Amino acid sequence: MEAKIVTYQYFLLGDTVPVRVAFNAKGQRMGAEVPNRDKGTLVQDATYLSRLATSFEVEEITPEQFRERAEAMLGRSLE
């Protein structure tokens, strides 16, 4: 049985929204997670995959930068 290996890339969309994109072992995008202020957590939202692909304002960021931006948006720690 093949192990499920998931890797991540981190982006900042429009200098505002931190987005974490999950990739499977074959390098295919599986989904995206973004902070949701109403729920106070990260939520899966696949619409951000197309937003990343079509936006001119996309910057790749580090996992630490993603965490800082997400925690700032949520007003709490992700741990």
Side-chain angles (χ1 to χ4, degrees):
M1 185 172 170
E2 184 179 320
K4 291 185 179 181
I5 299 172
V6 177
T7 58
Y8 297 95
Q9 281 187 307
Y10 304 86
F11 301 93
L12 189 59
L13 179 61
D15 199 34
T16 307
V17 181
V19 182
R20 177 167 65 184
V21 178
F23 294 84
N24 65 18
K26 295 179 181 181
Q28 299 166 319
R29 297 180 302 171
M30 299 184 337
E33 291 180 301
V34 296
N36 181 301
R37 287 185 180 127
D38 295 333
K39 294 183 179 183
T41 63
L42 293 178
V43 296
Q44 292 185 358
D45 189 339
T47 63
Y48 279 89
L49 295 176
S50 62
R51 291 181 189 185
L52 288 172
T54 59
S55 176
F56 292 105
E57 297 182 77
V58 177
E59 174 186 350
E60 190 166 356
I61 59 175
T62 67
E64 294 79 18
Q65 290 170 314
F66 171 83
R67 177 182 214 84
E68 289 170 5
R69 295 279 187 145
E71 288 176 348
M73 283 184 76
L74 297 173
R76 68 172 195 84
S77 173
L78 290 177
E79 292 182 29

